[in-house]
Amino acid sequence: MPGTCVIGLQWGDEAKGKLVDLLTLDHDLVVRYQGGANAGHTVVAGENTYKLSLIPSGILTPSVRCVIAGGVVINPPACLQEIDGLVSRGIRVADNLLISDRAHVIFPWHMAEDRSLDESTSDGENIGTTQRGIGPCYRDKVGRSYAIRLGDLYRNDIGQRIEHVVTAKNRVIASMHGGEQAEPLDAKTICADYLGYAERLKPYVADSTALLLDAVDADQRILFEGAQGALLDVDHGTFPYVTSSNSSGVGVSSGSGVPGRFIDKVLGVVKAYCTRVGGGPFPTEQSNDIGQRLRDRGNEYGTVTKRPRRCGWFDAVAARYTARLSGVDSLAVMLLDVLSGMDELSICTAYEIDGQRTTNFPSHVDDLRRAVPVFETVPGWQAEITAARSIDDLPDAARGYLDRISELVGRPVEVVSVGPDREQTIFASRAAHTS
Ligand code: IMP
């Protein structure tokens, strides 16, 4: 079974949605397997721009089935809003979307906790979450006692369950407000709302693990769509400045239920530079005119939260680490066009930490904070490249830049994106990495 994964290798927002959309036609199923409505995928199809959060970008292709697997945390009203938005634009969702009954449900208390608890970490900086309740929902999943899964909403005892959780959560929320009177949650209202959502979602809810394992047996082609990026992986990323799921390649199996041995291709997605939203160290960050230029040209503002993204040079140390971690076969380099018009470009080839040079990505955030990037300067190019349709259409300097990234990361470049449209994509036949 050809299982393909699309994994972001940086801090998210690598334009994975465009790539998934392009690859969708070669697959029978497209699967989201971690994260939730903290993700934002923008897909431009002709005149139309779609902004998706929970629903896989594959939904725009009528011939594929889209699956939101058990590893995702689901906010029912946000999901319904997305479904309604797609339907109102003529996209067929009814037979094409399946949502796992194992997916954990985000409730109002998760949002309240996320808003109140995104305070400083022990080293004093905010994580800067998307405030979509993602972390608190995953925390309850792991804690188990106060977790409610989508399938639970269809059980007779759901009223008692919600009552039980709300009683406990009202105590938590009151204590979070330092004893000040916080508006208590009302179990009956929440229950009525969520039963309403559950009724509307019912046609989509099923056992996605069984469906995917059957698809594997039937030799169907599955595309796994990662959300966020590998540097935000809760176990292997820049902890604690991460999201609460396994957003690197290691999360595909746990989130979807499909064993790793059935995945035969991993495409690692990078921007031609780096961005990050929220807190945490970012060694190649450019808090200067260069960063502002990248932000302006790349329209680097969050799809979900609209926050301006922090911008910096391409970090080959980080990308090499996450490419290896995620078992990446080849790279997709996105937004290359954003770099046009710069005389010189810098690529981070190593870090210096306390005077020691290393190409290893540090496991502790304090070490990463002290990492001074070692930059290599390469020539830029002036020409706009948005009309390039083959590698040979690119200026020499752009080809040289891709070759250098490929060499440093240790993977060939397979796809290059030079603009948001589907057509603005180069499938590179030449393998830049030769070792
Ligand atoms: P959370 O996922 O909302 O808990 O946020 C944790 C961290 O991950 C914050 O720094 C967010 O800005 C970041 N984050 C979460 N989702 C995305 C995404 O889709 N793109 C980029 N950053 C994200």
Side-chain angles (χ1 to χ4, degrees):
M1 177 213 82
T4 302
C5 301
V6 171
I7 305 287
L9 299 184
Q10 296 161 326
W11 282 285
D13 310 316
E14 297 93 351
K16 298 177 290 292
K18 168 176 170 172
L19 206 60
V20 169
D21 176 55
L22 284 167
L23 297 175
T24 292
L25 270 183
D26 300 331
H27 293 85
D28 302 302
L29 294 137
V30 181
V31 183
R32 261 290 299 272
Y33 54 87
Q34 46 73 227
N38 48 350
H41 290 164
T42 305
V43 181
V44 179
E47 304 287 286
N48 299 313
T49 300
Y50 299 91
K51 292 197 184 291
L52 301 167
S53 247
L54 262 172
I55 298 180
S57 337
I59 201 73
L60 305 178
T61 306
S63 59
V64 302
R65 278 192 102 179
C66 289
V67 176
I68 299 177
V72 172
V73 286
I74 188 151
N75 178 340
C79 186
L80 284 165
Q81 199 180 14
E82 222 172 294
I83 292 173
D84 291 344
L86 286 166
V87 170
S88 73
R89 295 176 74 181
I91 305 293
R92 211 174 93 200
V93 181
D95 314 318
N96 293 1
L97 178 67
L98 188 139
I99 308 172
S100 176
D101 57 358
R102 289 182 173 85
H104 282 250
V105 179
I106 297 181
F107 281 91
W109 51 84
H110 294 129
M111 315 283 267
E113 287 175 50
D114 208 0
R115 277 192 298 272
S116 298
L117 283 179
D118 186 25
E119 63 211 5
S120 305
T121 57
S122 49
D123 64 351
E125 192 178 350
N126 280 12
I127 295 174
T129 77
T130 58
Q131 310 218 331
R132 297 295 186 272
I134 307 295
C137 186
Y138 276 116
R139 186 169 52 210
D140 280 342
K141 168 179 170 170
V142 179
R144 292 152 297 161
S145 309
Y146 301 125
I148 296 178
R149 307 203 294 182
L150 194 51
D152 295 330
L153 297 182
Y154 304 97
R155 304 275 155 183
N156 291 336
D157 64 351
I158 184 62
Q160 287 132 267
R161 269 174 188 261
I162 290 182
E163 185 96 46
H164 163 74
V165 181
V166 164
T167 307
K169 292 291 178 179
N170 272 335
R171 281 199 297 267
V172 174
I173 291 169
S175 73
M176 283 181 330
H177 285 74
E180 276 174 45
Q181 194 62 37
E183 186 74 34
L185 300 162
D186 179 52
K188 289 210 164 33
T189 310
I190 293 174
C191 190
D193 288 348
Y194 274 67
L195 288 181
Y197 303 141
E199 194 51 37
R200 288 199 56 209
L201 285 174
K202 203 169 184 177
Y204 307 104
V205 179
D207 178 350
S208 69
T209 308
L211 175 112
L212 290 174
L213 293 175
D214 286 347
V216 168
D217 287 347
D219 234 8
Q220 292 198 309
R221 297 160 303 172
I222 308 181
L223 181 61
F224 297 94
E225 173 178 1
Q228 291 86 43
L231 293 171
L232 290 173
D233 186 292
V234 66
D235 289 306
H236 305 282
T238 53
F239 190 88
Y241 303 98
V242 291
T243 191
S244 300
S245 62
N246 285 118
S247 50
S248 71
V250 305
V252 182
S253 291
S254 60
S256 70
V258 175
R261 63 190 289 240
F262 296 114
I263 292 157
D264 61 3
K265 176 157 183 179
V266 182
L267 196 54
V269 191
V270 290
K271 271 180 191 169
Y273 48 96
C274 273
T275 62
R276 172 162 209 174
V277 234
F282 177 1
T284 63
E285 181 168 17
Q286 298 296 299
S287 309
N288 52 27
D289 288 353
I290 293 169
Q292 190 56 45
R293 189 178 190 287
L294 293 170
R295 189 173 303 113
D296 291 343
R297 270 192 67 101
N299 191 23
E300 294 294 356
Y301 295 88
T303 313
V304 173
T305 59
K306 315 284 178 239
R307 288 179 288 180
R309 296 180 185 141
R310 301 156 65 192
C311 297
W313 294 119
F314 187 84
D315 184 340
V317 177
R320 175 175 165 272
Y321 163 63
T322 49
R324 293 167 70 215
L325 172 71
S326 298
V328 162
D329 295 291
S330 56
L331 298 176
V333 180
M334 314 301 279
L335 292 119
L336 185 67
D337 53 299
V338 171
L339 298 183
S340 294
M342 297 175 105
D343 293 334
E344 288 182 332
L345 304 171
S346 296
I347 303 174
C348 170
T349 58
Y351 296 151
E352 252 176 38
I353 304 175
D354 303 334
Q356 298 285 324
R357 193 169 282 213
T358 180
T359 53
N360 291 327
F361 193 75
S363 58
H364 201 287
V365 78
D366 285 350
D367 297 331
L368 189 63
R369 248 188 235 296
R370 294 199 315 284
V372 179
V374 177
F375 284 120
E376 174 178 305
T377 304
V378 295
W381 60 91
Q382 294 305 316
E384 287 298 343
I385 56 171
T386 48
R389 295 294 176 267
S390 81
I391 284 285
D392 294 332
D393 293 339
L394 294 174
D396 287 350
R399 289 204 301 266
Y401 184 71
L402 292 172
D403 283 352
R404 189 65 183 129
I405 284 181
S406 171
E407 187 176 34
L408 289 165
V409 177
R411 299 292 188 275
V413 174
E414 185 177 341
V415 182
V416 181
S417 176
V418 292
D421 288 343
R422 285 173 172 165
E423 297 70 39
Q424 292 176 299
T425 312
I426 298 170
F427 289 90
S429 51
R430 71 190 216 136
H433 177 64
T434 46
S435 71

